[in-house]
Amino acid sequence: MDLQDARVLVAGASGALGGQLADLLHERGARVVAAGRDADRTAAVASRVGTEPLLFDAVDTDSCRATVTAAAEQLGGLDALVVCVGVAGFGPAVDADDAVVEELFAVDVLGPMALVRAASAAMGERGTVVVLSAILADLPTARMAEYSAAKSALATWLEVLRREERRRLTVVDVRPPHLDTGLDGRALAGEPPRLPAPFPSADVVTAVVEAMAADKREVVFVDGALVVR
Ligand SMILES: NC(=O)c1ccc[n+]([C@@H]2O[C@H](COP(=O)([O-])OP(=O)(O)OC[C@H]3O[C@@H](n4cnc5c(N)ncnc54)[C@H](OP(=O)(O)O)[C@@H]3O)[C@@H](O)[C@H]2O)c1
């Protein structure tokens, strides 16, 4: 896609990856609307990219839909959606709390799916959908059963979406490894297991924007390096 003047909604712009992606897309000439849950961090990103902030809660699919509608109204349409919403949870699968599992799947799967459905409706004949899943979709990990299962479900859904909408939507699934954003310290429950040394999130951000500009399908981590393909 041509990023110059592209109308882009970044959902989860209040987070580390989302904020950096909003900034880089803005730098590359896109018109970016920042949406998040935390009002202050979302407003800070919005003021950097020069648009009105939008607030939503991913567990509330009506608010996901309303956010996409408001972004499209503000931008006069929508060319791309970037979903950077996500939350982790740690601990043995058999010990997980029902409420935590529900919230994790709502934030990591159901909310992103609702955002994408609403964006698809707003995009018309062409559009780009970028969603952060995770390497765990390919490498389910002990003490991260729910997070692995959620990301795997999301990645599978994106694959089907890509097939169904191949003539209309470019679907980019981003599956990075453990990053330096501190996500593991904001988990819904539990303590993280021993994780590999964090990979720089700035490199993922650059790769995602490259993937968008070149209409690629995924950003993955292979043999210690990011691959855009
Ligand atoms: N960091 C990693 O190691 C890593 C690796 C692979 C994939 N990922 C994925 O990359 C994405 C971004 O993660 P990050 O590293 O940038 O972490 P982050 O800084 O914690 O960002 C997470 C984002 O999710 C949002 N969020 C959480 N719960 C929400 C809810 N109920 N409603 C609306 N928004 C909600 C947060 O919003 P607020 O801040 O406004 O609450 C924030 O914008 C996630 O999907 C994550 O799973 C991360």
Side-chain angles (χ1 to χ4, degrees):
M1 69 180 290
D2 184 0
L3 291 174
Q4 186 63 46
D5 295 322
R7 301 161 297 183
V8 183
L9 168 62
V10 178
S14 49
L17 279 174
Q20 293 179 65
L21 274 163
D23 287 340
L24 186 55
L25 288 164
H26 172 66
E27 220 177 283
R28 293 284 300 270
R31 294 168 55 211
V32 178
V33 166
R37 179 176 55 170
D38 180 273
D40 291 344
R41 276 184 276 112
T42 306
V45 178
S47 92
R48 294 202 298 272
V49 300
T51 49
E52 290 302 312
L54 298 173
L55 297 182
F56 73 104
D57 191 326
V59 304
D60 174 359
T61 50
D62 287 344
S63 84
C64 292
R65 218 180 340 270
T67 290
V68 173
T69 303
E73 274 170 21
Q74 195 180 151
L75 294 167
L78 195 65
D79 300 306
L81 167 71
V82 182
V83 182
C84 307
V85 173
V87 71
F90 303 112
V94 292
D95 292 343
D97 178 80
D98 288 349
V100 167
V101 176
E102 276 184 29
E103 182 172 349
L104 189 143
F105 271 79
V107 174
D108 288 349
V109 189
L110 306 180
M113 284 164 52
L115 287 161
V116 170
R117 284 194 299 270
S120 167
M123 279 169 178
E125 291 189 357
R126 281 290 312 150
T128 296
V129 168
V130 181
V131 182
L132 266 293
S133 64
I135 195 170
L136 296 181
D138 303 315
L139 286 176
T141 300
R143 301 183 68 84
M144 300 169 76
E146 298 75 33
Y147 187 50
S148 299
K151 292 299 191 180
S152 170
L154 183 60
T156 299
W157 187 81
L158 291 169
E159 174 64 32
V160 175
L161 175 77
R162 182 184 296 120
R163 289 180 199 174
E164 289 179 351
E165 300 298 326
R166 62 189 175 283
R167 293 191 180 79
R168 202 169 69 84
L169 299 181
T170 300
V171 178
V172 187
D173 179 8
V174 184
R175 302 201 293 280
H178 174 51
L179 302 175
D180 59 5
T181 65
L183 174 80
D184 47 313
R186 294 184 282 280
L188 288 177
E191 292 301 317
R194 185 192 292 266
L195 296 167
F199 191 79
S201 53
D203 291 3
V204 174
V205 169
T206 307
V208 169
V209 173
E210 181 191 333
M212 290 174 73
D215 295 324
K216 299 293 188 181
R217 301 155 58 103
E218 50 187 15
V219 178
V220 290
F221 192 65
V222 181
D223 297 333
L226 284 179
V227 176
V228 178
R229 60 187 186 195

